[in-house]
Amino acid sequence: MITTLSDQRPQVVANVWSPEYFEEEFLRFAILDLKREHGDPEHPFGVYILDALDPRSCLGRVVELERFGGQFGNDLAMLRDLYVDYEDCGNSELCIVVDHLELRPVGVIRLTRHTEEFGSRTIDDLLALGENGWGLSKEELWTRAPLAAKDLNGIVDVPTLAVSVGYHGNDALDSISRALSACMFKRILSCGSESMICALDRIVAALVQSITGNFLGEFEGIGPQPYYGSPGTIPMWSNPREQLLRIQTSEPELYERFVLLKGLDKYFFAWPEDTATWEEIDELVIDLRDSSSSENPLPRSSSEGPIRAER
């Protein structure tokens, strides 16, 4: 039995990496269960934030396995080894997009709150030597990027982002990627984090930057390198609160897309109760109601039971 760090989370007895949770029958059940839990929305697509210890979060793992398995040779055992420790300690969530009509998972972003005790995938690799490591010191994370977080505990790691191959048509890929990005943006802000870090395949990084209006920055002097099967992955960072201020004051179109969700009418967003609601900001203040301290773990998702993003 796994006991998470938060007393608010349930004790979990299921092995969420068990093959039974990757079977089509369970995935269809999971989507129908999420729809039922949220009032059976009529939207063609749904965006849900699930604790990684919720078996329904396998809706996201299936997309990770499809994309990273097919493109980079990452099998189920490898993905489990990469992420299970950060899940078992209660610090991970998956932002998942599902097709309500076809009952298929179509996109995922994984979020992990970094802590000194348990770490997080991308930051651990940035600090590691050898294969799949960059060999940086903790101090270099700040000297190579103007991170707003005061320490590692104020950073959310975004180790994966993926969209199912069957939804890679231009319109579908763009809208699913925007829905995932909007979900990630709001969720990171709601948990009080000042900075985020990810590691992206170069091609995917270019796509993300075009969709988000250069939301991410590169670490000074750090170039792409092979990373878990990707021939060239580059670490990137962002300060979401600063980006929110930037797009509201100077890029209103982006603000409408990622904050007001303009153009995403086909998507039902199932925000957990602990996700902050948006308020208008001015140039001096960003007011996010119910924001938690950066010392807290990721807020619990609404279920009882968020690009390695396409490296």
Side-chain angles (χ1 to χ4, degrees):
M1 179 157 46
I2 299 167
T3 302
T4 66
L5 292 181
S6 172
D7 292 337
Q8 294 181 337
R9 286 192 173 98
Q11 290 183 326
V12 178
V13 295
N15 171 17
V16 294
W17 288 89
S18 175
E20 67 189 270
Y21 294 125
F22 290 75
E23 295 177 359
E24 183 177 356
E25 182 180 2
F26 176 78
L27 299 175
R28 292 172 67 88
F29 159 79
I31 294 173
L32 290 172
D33 193 53
L34 286 169
K35 288 187 64 180
R36 176 198 56 77
E37 180 180 322
H38 293 280
D40 199 22
E42 297 180 355
H43 304 68
F45 294 91
V47 184
Y48 299 92
I49 301 174
L50 296 176
D51 191 300
L53 295 176
D54 183 333
R56 297 175 300 179
S57 64
C58 265
L59 291 164
R61 292 186 189 87
V62 166
V63 180
E64 291 175 336
L65 181 61
E66 175 199 340
R67 299 299 296 127
F68 304 144
Q71 191 168 1
F72 303 123
N74 299 174
D75 60 16
L76 183 62
M78 179 179 180
L79 291 174
R80 182 186 184 279
D81 289 345
L82 285 173
Y83 303 117
V84 68
D85 289 345
Y86 310 114
E87 297 177 346
D88 286 354
C89 68
N91 287 346
S92 294
E93 291 181 338
L94 281 79
C95 302
I96 300 163
V97 176
V98 301
D99 186 328
H100 282 157
L101 303 180
E102 299 293 332
L103 298 182
R104 292 181 56 188
V106 301
V108 61
I109 285 183
R110 180 181 289 266
L111 305 177
T112 300
R113 163 74 72 178
H114 185 92
T115 65
E116 291 286 352
E117 182 176 6
F118 296 106
S120 63
R121 178 74 275 149
T122 307
I123 294 176
D124 286 354
D125 290 338
L126 286 173
L127 303 179
L129 297 171
E131 185 179 9
N132 299 313
W134 275 268
L136 303 179
S137 67
K138 292 181 182 179
E139 292 73 19
E140 282 183 290
L141 295 180
W142 275 265
T143 60
R144 294 178 182 271
L147 298 175
K150 296 179 181 178
D151 54 41
L152 292 178
N153 289 338
I155 299 175
V156 168
D157 183 358
V158 185
T160 70
L161 182 154
V163 175
S164 177
V165 172
Y167 293 80
H168 270 213
N170 287 339
D171 292 341
L173 178 61
D174 179 73
S175 66
I176 293 170
S177 298
R178 286 202 291 121
L180 285 169
S181 298
C183 182
M184 173 192 70
F185 192 49
K186 183 170 181 179
R187 191 56 172 162
I188 290 176
L189 283 166
S190 76
C191 66
S193 293
E194 298 291 341
S195 301
M196 61 162 281
I197 284 178
C198 57
L200 311 181
D201 180 89
R202 286 176 295 183
I203 295 175
V204 176
L207 173 64
V208 171
Q209 293 290 68
S210 68
I211 290 174
T212 62
N214 295 314
F215 180 82
L216 302 169
E218 298 181 14
F219 287 86
E220 183 179 355
I222 303 297
Q225 69 173 43
Y227 187 63
Y228 298 115
S230 165
T233 290
I234 185 165
M236 306 188 82
W237 63 275
S238 183
N239 295 326
R241 291 175 184 269
E242 295 175 2
Q243 292 297 323
L244 176 62
L245 176 60
R246 176 180 69 84
I247 65 175
Q248 183 175 342
T249 56
S250 62
E251 299 189 50
E253 182 179 348
L254 279 176
Y255 183 81
E256 290 179 348
R257 292 173 65 185
F258 290 103
V259 177
L260 305 182
L261 307 180
K262 184 177 180 180
L264 295 175
D265 298 338
K266 295 189 298 183
Y267 292 83
F268 169 74
F269 285 83
W271 300 120
E273 293 180 0
D274 56 11
T275 299
T277 54
W278 294 105
E279 291 187 355
E280 293 299 315
I281 61 174
D282 57 33
E283 295 186 5
L284 299 177
V285 178
I286 299 177
D287 186 3
L288 292 173
R289 290 176 287 181
D290 300 325
S291 293
S292 59
S293 166
S294 62
E295 297 178 358
N296 293 333
L298 278 166
R300 179 191 169 200
S301 67
S302 61
S303 72
E304 292 297 324
I307 296 179
R308 206 179 72 178
E310 297 221 15
R311 292 188 304 269

